[in-house]
Amino acid sequence: MNFDAALDTALSRLHDEGRYRTFIEIAREKGHFPHAVWTKADGSKKDITVWCGNDYLGMGQHPAVLGAMHEALEATGAGSGGTRNISGTTVYHKQLEAEIADLHGKEAALLFTSAYIANDATLSTLPKLFPGLIIYSDALNHASMIEGVRRNGGAKRIFRHNDVAHLRALIAADDPAAPKLIAFESIYSMDGDFGPIKEICDLAEEVGALTYIDEVHAVGMYGPRGAGVAERDNQMHRIDIINATLAKAYGVFGGYIAASAKMVDAVRSYAPGFIFTTSLPPAVAAGAAASIAFLKTAEGQKLRDAQQLHARILKMRLRGLGLPIIDHGSHIVPVHVGNPLHCKMLSDMLLEDHGIYAQPINFPTVPRGTERLRFTPSPVHDAGQIDGLVRAMDGLWRHCALNRAEVVA
């Protein structure tokens, strides 16, 4: 086989379809985020504003977080030195797990190197713990959940997105005695819509199923202490396993699950994705713990309130221009483009002409025909930056003749 030719074919296909992923090299500026410096391919530099990051609250530059990381770095050095079982469990890891367990009102928590690994490792391990387990998974669940469910070797059922009636029908068709788990998300990040947490918990209690929720895009952002949408909706106590990240609203790195002490102990003892992975650096764990602790406070609520206000303002102004935004009431602001080439073109012009960085979202992250730009306003985006984005989108949308009718067509 001509391997180079096969690689050329595969890459050319992505270019032809307009969904080849270009990595934009940026340098964030501590104390000035969302400002950053973009290094172009020719080596020149340009000041830009980041509008597509997941550091939703700007905690990646917060003094409390940086101070905790500096202190831990000076005290312990860089890495953890091993897996959690072999020299890689430090006081910082235990403090962070206790902070997470407290956040979610659970008996215990377990750290992973990312929320992706946490989802994959946990969902692929559960059938080992519950023989015959059937997992019911929302059709729009994140790739990490899909991978974990796919790899576990057990039975799976896919229910239509947020369709509790379809979920009920699938459960009714299975053996009532079989162990069951329902896996879903609190916020689906590409559309910004919410999962029907209460309705799913009601059904789970009715049929004796476990519940597994991904709160990755919600932790830090919702609820009186930032524990997520389940906390906001007073449903957190009804969720058996909560998955989330430390890399978005908390501004650091890593992922976790929170659950009962027995559940955490079993996953800790059986999941290869936990057992055989070097643990988080202590400085990272210290920064994440500080971020969670801060966002539990009234000062954290002020950041959440400011972020929600900026999201509402941006949605209102883009909607006023007639742009096809997708608005389900969350903090995420997607603008539907519907064509990968147009989406990339808009992204490129925003960056080059206006210094606005918004990465195009194309297949396979979203289904074909639903390509979009996804804006993530934060408390540290000011009124002038919001105004600049709105004006740029207005001019480019009209310039490119991307009105609603063309997008739908």
Side-chain angles (χ1 to χ4, degrees), residues 237-255:
H237 63 286
R238 305 179 74 191
I239 302 294
D240 293 295
I241 305 173
I242 297 172
N243 163 276
T245 185
L246 303 167
K248 291 183 169 61
Y250 292 122
V252 192
F253 183 75

Side-chain angles (χ1 to χ4, degrees), residues 6 13 23 31 69 77 99 106 115 118 148 268 336 344 366 391:
R13 183 165 59 248
F23 294 169
M69 294 184 74
E99 196 74 63
K106 300 300 182 186
R268 179 187 72 88
H336 185 274
K344 180 68 166 62
V366 295
R391 290 177 182 275

Side-chain angles (χ1 to χ4, degrees), residues 263-312:
M263 183 72 77
V264 166
D265 193 20
V267 173
R268 179 187 72 88
S269 301
Y270 280 87
F274 174 82
I275 296 169
F276 299 106
T277 300
T278 299
S279 65
L280 293 175
V284 170
S291 185
I292 293 172
F294 178 86
L295 289 178
K296 289 176 179 177
T297 68
E299 291 301 308
Q301 187 60 46
K302 290 179 182 178
L303 288 180
R304 285 189 284 276
D305 291 342
Q307 194 284 329
Q308 290 287 336
L309 176 62
H310 288 177
R312 288 195 300 271

Side-chain angles (χ1 to χ4, degrees), residues 123 127 132-138 141 145-159 167 170-171 174 179-183:
L123 288 168
L133 180 69
I134 303 172
I135 296 182
Y136 302 83
S137 179
D138 188 286
N141 276 343
M145 301 175 76
I146 294 171
E147 184 65 14
V149 172
R150 184 188 67 81
R151 288 199 312 108
N152 66 31
K156 64 178 183 293
R157 311 283 186 261
I158 310 301
F159 61 94
L167 171 61
L170 291 174
I171 292 174
D174 286 321
K180 300 173 177 66
L181 178 142
I182 304 170

Side-chain angles (χ1 to χ4, degrees), residues 69-373:
M69 294 184 74
H70 279 295
E71 182 179 336
L73 182 64
E74 291 299 322
T76 68
S80 68
T83 64
R84 287 293 296 275
N85 185 51
I86 305 176
S87 82
T89 294
T90 71
V91 63
Y92 299 100
H93 297 87
K94 298 303 292 183
Q95 287 174 346
L96 176 53
E97 286 175 338
E99 196 74 63
I100 292 167
D102 172 76
L103 173 70
H104 292 293
K106 300 300 182 186
E107 293 177 340
L110 190 65
L111 289 172
F112 291 82
T113 50
S114 71
Y116 188 107
I117 298 299
N119 268 333
D120 185 5
T122 303
L123 288 168
S124 62
T125 297
L126 290 175
K128 301 174 187 176
L129 306 174
F130 307 109
L133 180 69
I134 303 172
I135 296 182
Y136 302 83
S137 179
D138 188 286
L140 294 189
N141 276 343
H142 188 265
S144 58
M145 301 175 76
I146 294 171
E147 184 65 14
V149 172
R150 184 188 67 81
R151 288 199 312 108
N152 66 31
K156 64 178 183 293
R157 311 283 186 261
I158 310 301
F159 61 94
R160 290 188 292 270
H161 177 52
N162 280 350
D163 190 336
V164 179
H166 186 222
L167 171 61
R168 177 181 290 278
L170 291 174
I171 292 174
D174 286 321
D175 181 357
K180 300 173 177 66
L181 178 142
I182 304 170
F184 63 108
E185 299 186 35
S186 63
I187 297 179
Y188 294 84
S189 64
M190 289 300 107
D191 283 349
D193 58 329
F194 295 92
I197 299 175
K198 182 182 185 303
E199 291 81 359
I200 287 178
C201 288
D202 288 345
L203 177 56
E205 289 182 1
E206 181 182 329
V207 301
L210 294 171
T211 49
Y212 184 108
I213 194 169
D214 181 307
E215 288 259 34
V216 160
H217 289 272
V219 288
M221 304 294 293
Y222 298 86
R225 298 202 308 158
V229 179
E231 182 191 32
R232 183 199 70 178
D233 294 350
N234 296 313
Q235 300 297 310
M236 192 162 59
H237 63 286
R238 305 179 74 191
I239 302 294
D240 293 295
I241 305 173
I242 297 172
N243 163 276
T245 185
L246 303 167
K248 291 183 169 61
Y250 292 122
V252 192
F253 183 75
Y256 63 83
I257 61 168
S260 68
K262 284 185 180 180
M263 183 72 77
V264 166
D265 193 20
V267 173
R268 179 187 72 88
S269 301
Y270 280 87
F274 174 82
I275 296 169
F276 299 106
T277 300
T278 299
S279 65
L280 293 175
V284 170
S291 185
I292 293 172
F294 178 86
L295 289 178
K296 289 176 179 177
T297 68
E299 291 301 308
Q301 187 60 46
K302 290 179 182 178
L303 288 180
R304 285 189 284 276
D305 291 342
Q307 194 284 329
Q308 290 287 336
L309 176 62
H310 288 177
R312 288 195 300 271
I313 290 171
L314 181 58
K315 289 176 183 178
M316 177 184 67
R317 295 195 61 185
L318 292 177
R319 187 185 296 110
L321 296 175
L323 271 64
I325 71 165
I326 304 169
D327 185 6
H328 293 283
S330 73
H331 61 284
I332 296 167
V333 186
V335 177
H336 185 274
V337 179
N339 179 292
L341 295 173
H342 288 164
C343 200
K344 180 68 166 62
M345 178 176 61
L346 275 170
S347 173
D348 289 346
M349 289 190 295
L350 281 170
L351 186 63
E352 185 66 51
D353 300 340
H354 300 275
I356 291 170
Y357 177 30
Q359 191 75 6
I361 308 296
N362 293 332
F363 178 84
T365 305
V366 295
R368 297 180 192 273
T370 70
E371 293 80 6
R372 67 203 61 187
L373 295 174

